[in-house]
Amino acid sequence: ALQALWKPFDPMAIPGLVQAGNTVFVDVTADWCITCQVNKGVVLQRDEVLKRLQGKSVIAMQADWTRPNDAIANYLAGFGRFGIPFNVVYGPQAPGGIMLPELLTTSAVMQGFDGAASPAALANRK
């Protein structure tokens, strides 16, 4: 079921999704990235975060950088970053995206969601 959660990475779609009131969570990952696997196991696949990722107005996008990919490299460079893990949360409150720390924690991801989501989405959660 976890694979069904992740949509293919489509940076061009993000502004429209955010304008429609959605929160978009981007996970840039790769099979060779050990920290990425740790982030998945320790944070992204755990109950609290997984619930948020599966939330109604949340789109989770995964950019798989296992093989070189210019679109992903350019996306990272746009944030001044050249390595992964890399996670960003976009939302009505943060259309430019909130960068998360490389080593994810549940609280960092939740703060990212809360900082990006629309006030209405946050009210619905309580």
Side-chain angles (χ1 to χ4, degrees):
L2 287 179
Q3 275 321 99
L5 169 71
W6 296 100
K7 307 278 179 280
F9 179 57
D10 182 1
M12 294 300 152
I14 294 172
L17 290 167
V18 167
Q19 245 172 345
N22 296 294
T23 305
V24 180
F25 183 90
V26 175
D27 176 37
V28 184
T29 186
D31 291 350
W32 45 258
C33 170
I34 304 298
T35 311
C36 301
Q37 310 310 325
V38 171
N39 283 342
K40 271 195 204 63
V42 175
V43 178
L44 296 180
Q45 292 172 358
R46 292 274 188 247
D47 304 342
E48 204 182 346
V49 170
L50 195 55
K51 266 203 203 89
R52 279 307 274 279
L53 288 170
Q54 291 168 325
K56 267 212 304 273
S57 52
V58 175
I59 290 100
M61 283 188 186
Q62 200 160 60
D64 186 347
W65 210 25
T66 301
R67 293 203 178 88
N69 177 310
D70 287 344
I72 296 173
N74 292 338
Y75 175 75
L76 291 171
F79 285 91
R81 291 281 288 278
F82 301 94
I84 55 175
F86 185 69
N87 295 91
V88 187
V89 189
Y90 298 87
Q93 308 267 68
I98 296 171
M99 271 198 293
L100 299 179
E102 286 196 13
L103 200 56
L104 293 180
T105 61
T106 298
S107 63
V109 174
M110 292 314 219
Q111 281 172 347
F113 270 115
D114 291 347
S118 68
L122 293 177
N124 289 340
R125 248 189 80 229
K126 296 202 170 40

